Amino acid sequence: MPPRKRRSYTAEYKVEAAHRVIDSGRTISEVARELGIDAGMLSVWVKDERRRITAAEVHGDTPLEAAERAELQRLRRQVGELEKDNEFLVKASAYFAAMQKNRPGSL
């Protein structure tokens, strides 16, 4: 049998997966099968998220609602795309500046 590939998950993915269980009332094994991940790993994520929710409530904070989490994820993706665009523009600018210096008659 080939060795298992080790995958790493972002914090956002873990929270979203945990909330699929917490918000829907579905079982951990159901959601784990749907996501294609280990149920034990999802169980740990759910416990961690429930602890965070409880800790927030103790301090008078409320956790993000599903719509707020979705908006946060959308904004993070948008920021990621903008960062990629900026990286491209920096490289393109450096390339064109170098090309300008290499033109005949330039200093």
Side-chain angles (χ1 to χ4, degrees), residues 28-56:
I28 290 172
S29 58
E30 264 184 279
V31 175
R33 262 193 314 277
E34 176 185 299
L35 296 175
I37 59 176
D38 180 61
M41 184 170 56
L42 179 58
S43 175
V44 170
W45 298 349
V46 169
K47 285 181 211 170
D48 290 344
E49 186 58 20
R50 284 188 173 140
R51 272 191 228 116
R52 276 191 285 277
I53 291 169
T54 303

Side-chain angles (χ1 to χ4, degrees), residues 43-78:
S43 175
V44 170
W45 298 349
V46 169
K47 285 181 211 170
D48 290 344
E49 186 58 20
R50 284 188 173 140
R51 272 191 228 116
R52 276 191 285 277
I53 291 169
T54 303
E57 289 170 351
V58 167
H59 295 290
D61 295 333
T62 57
L64 296 177
E65 295 176 7
E68 293 170 323
R69 283 193 315 276
E71 178 67 7
L72 181 60
Q73 285 180 332
R74 185 189 71 74
L75 290 172
R76 284 185 174 153
R77 279 192 303 272
Q78 187 176 1

Side-chain angles (χ1 to χ4, degrees), residues 12-24:
E12 291 85 7
Y13 181 83
K14 292 176 183 180
V15 169
E16 189 57 39
H19 276 279
R20 284 188 182 202
V21 174
I22 295 168
D23 296 342
S24 69

Side-chain angles (χ1 to χ4, degrees), residues 89-104:
L89 290 173
V90 166
K91 288 178 183 178
S93 177
Y95 171 79
F96 287 117
M99 293 300 292
Q100 188 69 23
K101 289 179 184 176
N102 292 333
R103 284 183 50 197

